[in-house]
């Protein structure tokens, strides 16, 4: 394992070998996810009395974030996973138009919370928000764990943001490169030679 890699806790994963540096450690992630959930919980509380709450997490990057987040949300809610991909295969740049799976038709009158791992070009969140809005929900909000410091991400409407990060390609805590590194418990920048 490289000297530069500092893991926040005891488990050193094989995949840490390909990581140049940890950007956000697991304890920091856990603390922030709890804070985010607290904000969402407060906002959902009055809403849950008048209509059903549906979470729409975007596969596959949001799975770990979602799993941690929902355990801090006590409201009655449903989850409808949605497949979307703008980084398919061995890419570190968005391909532009994301490929989006099918949304349920019955979102009418419901409160929808879109959950994704990261806001980059913003096309995924913008496109899914527009699709959700066409189904006449009562409300639509979006929540991402990370937002890159680039104009397209900053200008995309998003109600809940975990961390602002520099414009670098990151992996871990659900985020992948070519399908790998999702199981890394921390968020890190991969070594150039790993890409
Ligand atoms: P956007 O549509 O360009 O905002 O891209 C959002 C999607 O691209 C996210 O859901 C991620 O799956 C993927 N993505 C964007 N940036 C990164 C990154 O730095 N690492 C891994 N995946 C990323
Ligand atoms: Mg994704």
């Amino acid at each position: 394992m490289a000297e530069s890699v500092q893991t926040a806790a005891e488990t050193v994963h094989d995949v840490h070998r390909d990581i140049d540096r940890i950007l956000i450690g697991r304890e920091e992630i856990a603390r922030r996810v709890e804070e985010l959930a607290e904000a969402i919980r407060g906002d959902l509380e009055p809403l849950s009395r008048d209509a059903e709450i549906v979470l729409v997490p975007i596969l596959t990057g949001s799975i770990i974030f979602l799993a941690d987040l929902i355990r801090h949300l006590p409201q009655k809610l449903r989850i409808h996973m949605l497949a979307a991909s703008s980084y398919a295969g061995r890419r570190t740049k968005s391909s532009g138009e994301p490929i989006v799976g099918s949304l349920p038709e019955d979102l009418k009158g419901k409160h929808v919370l879109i959950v994704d791992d990261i806001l980059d070009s913003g096309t995924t969140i913008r496109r899914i928000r527009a699709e959700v809005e066409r189904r006449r929900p009562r409300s639509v909000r979006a929540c991402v764990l990370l937002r890159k410091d680039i104009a397209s991400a900053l200008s995309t409407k998003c109600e809940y943001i975990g961390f602002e990060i520099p414009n670098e390609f990151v992996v871990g805590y659900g985020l992948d490169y070519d399908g790998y590194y999702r199981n890394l418990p921390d968020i890190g920048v991969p070594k150039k030679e790993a890409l």
Side-chain angles (χ1 to χ4, degrees), residues 93-107:
K93 288 265 176 301
S94 175
S95 61
E97 270 304 276
I99 306 142
V100 176
S102 65
L103 264 176
E105 288 301 326
D106 62 343
L107 293 177

Side-chain angles (χ1 to χ4, degrees), residues 8-150:
E10 59 298 329
T11 324
V12 178
H13 283 226
D14 285 349
V15 289
H16 271 119
R17 277 192 208 100
D18 290 346
I19 302 303
D20 182 48
R21 65 198 161 86
I22 299 294
L23 209 57
I24 313 169
R26 60 196 82 174
E27 281 111 355
E28 199 183 344
I29 299 172
R31 277 195 299 273
R32 185 64 188 134
V33 170
E34 219 174 313
E35 283 173 9
L36 266 182
E38 207 171 299
I40 295 170
R41 194 163 73 199
D43 292 347
L44 290 184
E45 181 52 42
L47 305 182
S48 63
R49 286 182 227 120
D50 61 27
E52 189 172 330
I53 293 165
V54 183
L55 263 52
V56 177
I58 302 165
L59 289 171
T60 306
S62 71
I63 55 168
I64 299 181
F65 176 39
L66 175 81
D68 285 345
L69 187 74
I70 56 173
R71 281 177 285 179
H72 296 293
L73 299 178
Q75 282 91 12
K76 196 167 173 181
L77 54 82
R78 282 201 165 118
I79 297 171
H80 183 96
M81 294 277 202
L82 183 64
S85 176
S86 60
Y87 269 64
R90 302 172 71 167
R91 288 170 167 274
T92 57
K93 288 265 176 301
S94 175
S95 61
E97 270 304 276
I99 306 142
V100 176
S102 65
L103 264 176
E105 288 301 326
D106 62 343
L107 293 177
K108 194 170 174 198
K110 298 183 180 168
H111 295 294
V112 178
L113 179 69
I114 301 164
V115 181
D116 203 3
D117 50 2
I118 188 164
L119 196 50
D120 183 21
S121 72
T123 50
T124 307
I125 292 286
R126 277 200 298 270
R127 171 121 192 250
I128 292 170
R129 191 192 280 270
E131 289 285 324
V132 169
E133 270 162 3
R134 277 187 22 213
R135 288 165 172 77
R136 313 275 211 95
R138 186 82 153 252
S139 71
V140 192
R141 284 148 212 257
C143 170
V144 295
L145 181 68
L146 309 171
R147 180 168 72 173
K148 286 192 189 173
D149 186 18
I150 50 170

